[in-house]
Amino acid sequence: MRLEIFPKVVKCALEMVDSSSTYKEYIIRVQRGPLPEKSWHIYKRYNDFVSLHNLLQISGLNLPLPPKRLIGNMDREFIAERQTGLQNYLNLILMNPILASSLPVKKFLDPDNYATPFQELALQHVSMALRSEVNYEVVKPVPEIGWRLRKHYFLVKSRISPKEEMLLSWVEHGPDKYLEDRDLQGVFKSLSNLQHPYIQGVEFLNCNEVGGFVVRGLNNAGSLRDLLCTAKPKLQFMKKYANPKQYKPLSTSDMACFGRQILEVLRFLSEKGLPFGHLHTGNIVLEQGRVKLLDIENGVLGLPSYYRPYFVQHKKIQTLEAVDIYCFGHVLYEMAFGHPLHESVCDIFPSNCPPLLKSVLESILSTDACKGGVPTIAALLTHPFFNSTELGSSYSLSNSSQSDRPHLKFSSHVKEALRETRQKIENRLKDEQKMVRHQKRLVRVQELLSNEEEKKKRKQKQKEQLQKQQNQQKQQHQQQQLVANGKSPERSESPNSTSTATSAGTVTPPSGLIEFSPPPPPPAPIASLPSVVPERTALLGSICNFNKSSLRKTVTNDLSRR
């Protein structure tokens, strides 16, 4: 069974069981991405599944791990049943985006690439980067509060304001990092002077050949996702979001207000040519009735988008603006219903969804919208759901103060580098979408071929069964005809039997002689007819074939005549 999982497209299937005298090993084929060449095999025992299950218990989810068996655990039938149960167990894990992106699952499926101590390496890079910075020092790490395995968070303090808590995030470069180090330094210098009412400012940021880090003020209320899931911000990502105790969706007025603010940020970044594509509720905080977007630098660092496995399936979502709009649709859905949408499209919405909000969601997340194309940012800003609401009580674009006015300036050289980067990011997305479509076509062809083979086998089997039934019916009909005519099936094969006897062992009387005899008894069933004795058959045959002309004439003497 092949399933696409989050955050990277991975396929996983239990192929067979490796037999041993003392234990059984399950051979699992894992494939990353649409290309079959990027696959490998791993060997796992049942105890390995138990260890993974224990690590995933922090999520609070009830996962169906097949139970242990003390007696008969080496039986062939039990092994086959357990293999089916373990495949179903993996499928449920990989369909859950929270579990699929967790480090235990990654280590289980890809132990070679995820055995590195990421937290220790991140601390080393951060310590080296801050060695020349006298204003900041690391207090302690904050492990696993985000969904990215290679992104790590640390509490830092400033020597200028030691009582103020700050959060440092470190992340390695991603596959879409196309800027040269010099150009990336120029972008980071401009981002340090960024001003926008709906983008959270940064205290300090820097980058090197391995990755980049950003220092921001710590928001104790947490992200918008923390608010929707009523979770504590500093808890582990899997514990917070895998199975929340309750969801707390926003009101319609808040959704309209915050949605318009987010659209204003997306339009601003698009006009400045800065690639983004990283909008989700974990990158949004709320402060005094405003949204504040985080991680604006992710695009130039080349990191993959949170919703990439979803929009890579739709060839009409090829531009970065379309990607931002698609991500905005998922954010709006989560704000409306409290929980995220775990599908790439949505055509059915709850009955209590307001009509205007439903029209916005359908224009972005429906199957027709993803096939035909999502709306532009300008079109959404003119939608009645957004243009009829105020931006906020303390801000509007027309009467904003000088400090609140959006500001982001790049040099001409950096602008050209950003334009080329956007083009390369979009080209890679298009190539990956082509590979996904090609792989889907291959899967459909294989399914059709297998279905045709199955149909042919079923038709051949039905034809053979029908032929067999017809032959049986024909034989039964012939036997019934013979019984009705008073003939034995065994006797009917002899050509002389029909002219010599009317029943077994009875000779036809000569003409002219009339015998009155009782009517013969009804014929017995065919199965009870006695077989003709070979000697009696030979006698009857010789009688029927008797020819008087073949007799020799005898000469009588005169004495006998006298």
Side-chain angles (χ1 to χ4, degrees):
M1 300 180 69
R2 298 178 175 180
L3 297 176
E4 293 181 356
I5 73 163
F6 194 95
K8 293 182 179 179
V9 180
V10 175
K11 300 173 183 179
C12 182
L14 273 75
E15 290 189 339
M16 63 185 70
V17 179
D18 187 15
S19 300
S20 177
S21 59
T22 57
Y23 62 89
K24 300 290 183 180
E25 265 192 341
Y26 297 89
I27 303 176
I28 307 173
R29 183 178 59 84
V30 186
Q31 177 181 328
R32 174 178 286 112
L35 297 179
E37 295 81 8
K38 296 182 179 180
S39 63
W40 60 93
H41 288 84
I42 56 176
Y43 298 83
K44 297 294 182 180
R45 298 177 57 183
Y46 177 75
N47 289 338
D48 298 325
F49 285 89
V50 174
S51 300
L52 173 64
H53 185 73
N54 293 333
L55 293 174
L56 297 180
Q57 290 303 299
I58 191 175
S59 65
L61 295 172
N62 185 17
L63 301 173
L65 178 68
K68 291 185 177 180
R69 185 175 176 180
L70 298 178
I71 301 176
N73 57 358
M74 301 295 285
D75 296 342
R76 181 177 300 178
E77 294 182 357
F78 175 73
I79 292 296
E81 181 181 353
R82 174 177 279 183
Q83 180 174 349
T84 303
L86 292 177
Q87 178 69 73
N88 180 55
Y89 179 76
L90 283 179
N91 292 344
L92 292 178
I93 290 176
L94 301 184
M95 285 189 296
N96 188 306
I98 306 298
L99 300 181
S101 61
S102 64
L103 185 58
V105 175
K106 294 292 186 182
K107 284 185 176 180
F108 183 84
L109 297 178
D110 192 2
D112 294 338
N113 292 325
Y114 290 93
T116 306
F118 299 109
Q119 186 78 32
E120 296 179 7
L121 290 178
L123 182 58
Q124 293 177 9
H125 289 297
V126 171
S127 300
M128 290 293 294
L130 293 180
R131 179 174 296 179
S132 59
E133 297 296 330
V134 297
N135 294 330
Y136 300 95
E137 65 174 314
V138 177
V139 177
K140 64 178 180 178
V142 185
E144 301 180 17
I145 63 172
W147 69 277
R148 294 186 188 275
L149 296 181
R150 300 178 187 273
K151 190 168 188 176
H152 305 275
Y153 297 87
F154 303 88
L155 285 178
V156 296
K157 66 178 181 179
S158 172
R159 292 183 174 88
I160 300 176
S161 303
K163 295 183 179 181
E164 183 181 0
E165 286 188 320
M166 296 184 181
L167 189 67
L168 182 148
S169 61
W170 160 266
V171 65
E172 298 179 10
H173 295 307
D176 281 327
K177 193 260 181 182
Y178 297 108
L179 285 174
E180 299 291 337
D181 292 341
R182 184 186 63 178
D183 297 331
L184 185 58
Q185 289 284 355
V187 173
F188 269 41
K189 183 177 179 180
S190 298
L191 290 178
S192 62
N193 298 320
L194 169 65
Q195 292 181 0
H196 197 282
Y198 308 132
I199 299 177
Q200 190 178 46
V202 296
E203 300 293 333
F204 179 73
L205 74 167
N206 202 348
C207 62
N208 55 26
E209 66 278 0
V210 179
F213 68 92
V214 181
V215 178
R216 292 185 173 92
L218 180 62
N219 189 306
N220 293 321
S223 66
L224 177 58
R225 178 169 293 166
D226 293 326
L227 177 63
L228 296 173
C229 297
T230 61
K232 297 180 180 179
K234 294 183 181 180
L235 292 179
Q236 283 186 324
F237 179 80
M238 187 163 53
K239 186 174 183 179
K240 289 190 295 184
Y241 307 134
N243 189 24
K245 295 182 179 179
Q246 63 176 348
Y247 291 104
K248 186 179 179 181
L250 300 182
S251 63
T252 304
S253 59
D254 287 341
M255 283 187 290
C257 179
F258 297 154
R260 183 177 175 186
Q261 293 176 0
I262 294 172
L263 289 174
E264 293 289 348
V265 177
L266 297 180
R267 180 169 64 176
F268 172 76
L269 297 177
S270 178
E271 292 175 351
K272 295 298 180 180
L274 185 69
F276 185 42
H278 294 270
L279 179 66
H280 58 85
T281 54
N283 279 348
I284 302 173
V285 295
L286 301 179
E287 292 182 358
Q288 300 178 354
R290 298 184 186 182
V291 298
K292 296 284 188 176
L293 267 63
L294 309 176
D295 294 348
I296 305 299
E297 69 282 354
N298 281 0
V300 293
L301 289 174
L303 304 180
S305 173
Y306 185 81
Y307 295 109
R308 187 179 184 87
Y310 294 156
F311 61 73
V312 77
Q313 304 177 35
H314 306 291
K315 64 179 180 180
K316 289 296 183 179
I317 305 177
Q318 294 183 336
T319 64
L320 286 178
E321 181 180 358
V323 169
D324 288 334
I325 291 299
Y326 181 81
C327 297
F328 174 75
H330 276 268
V331 170
L332 196 62
Y333 182 96
E334 194 169 347
M335 288 194 298
F337 308 114
H339 57 86
L341 175 64
H342 292 322
E343 301 289 341
S344 65
V345 295
C346 182
D347 295 315
I348 301 176
F349 300 93
S351 57
N352 60 348
C353 182
L356 287 178
L357 175 62
K358 183 179 179 180
S359 66
V360 177
L361 294 174
E362 288 178 340
S363 67
I364 302 174
L365 299 177
S366 66
T367 303
D368 294 338
C370 292
K371 287 183 178 180
V374 296
T376 62
I377 299 175
L380 286 178
L381 284 171
T382 59
H383 193 279
F385 185 75
F386 298 113
N387 67 1
S388 60
T389 185
E390 296 293 335
L391 283 171
S393 58
S394 60
Y395 174 79
S396 65
L397 289 176
S398 59
N399 59 3
S400 61
S401 62
Q402 186 67 27
S403 60
D404 272 341
R405 289 190 179 277
H407 172 75
L408 179 60
K409 188 176 181 179
F410 297 114
S411 65
S412 58
H413 178 75
V414 172
K415 285 183 180 179
E416 181 63 23
L418 288 175
R419 188 190 64 79
E420 294 179 358
T421 296
R422 290 175 64 95
Q423 186 65 41
K424 290 178 181 179
I425 293 175
E426 293 173 354
N427 290 340
R428 195 178 80 88
L429 174 59
K430 294 176 184 178
D431 293 339
E432 189 171 347
Q433 289 173 338
K434 289 180 182 179
M435 289 190 294
V436 171
R437 292 196 300 272
H438 177 68
Q439 185 65 22
K440 286 184 176 180
R441 284 194 295 266
L442 291 180
V443 171
R444 286 196 297 266
V445 170
Q446 292 175 357
E447 291 177 352
L448 290 175
L449 291 177
S450 61
N451 291 337
E452 290 295 330
E453 291 294 332
E454 291 294 331
K455 288 180 181 179
K456 288 181 180 179
K457 290 181 181 179
R458 287 196 299 267
K459 287 182 179 180
Q460 183 66 22
K461 188 175 181 179
Q462 292 175 357
K463 186 177 180 180
E464 292 176 355
Q465 292 178 351
L466 181 61
Q467 185 68 27
K468 186 176 180 181
Q469 292 176 358
Q470 289 177 352
N471 293 337
Q472 292 177 353
Q473 292 176 358
K474 186 177 180 180
Q475 291 178 1
Q476 292 177 0
H477 180 70
Q478 291 176 353
Q479 292 173 358
Q480 291 174 0
Q481 289 291 333
L482 293 174
V483 172
N485 294 334
K487 300 176 181 178
S488 172
E490 294 83 353
R491 296 282 313 280
S492 61
E493 296 178 0
S494 176
N496 299 325
S497 62
T498 56
S499 59
T500 58
T502 58
S503 63
T506 305
V507 181
T508 304
S511 59
L513 299 178
I514 302 178
E515 294 182 358
F516 294 93
S517 60
I526 296 175
S528 63
L529 288 176
S531 61
V532 181
V533 180
E535 292 81 3
R536 188 178 184 86
T537 304
L539 177 61
L540 292 176
S542 61
I543 293 174
C544 295
N545 297 329
F546 180 73
N547 189 0
K548 294 188 291 182
S549 61
S550 63
L551 298 176
R552 292 184 299 174
K553 295 181 181 181
T554 60
V555 180
T556 58
N557 53 22
D558 294 336
L559 293 177
S560 63
R561 291 178 182 175
R562 295 175 183 172

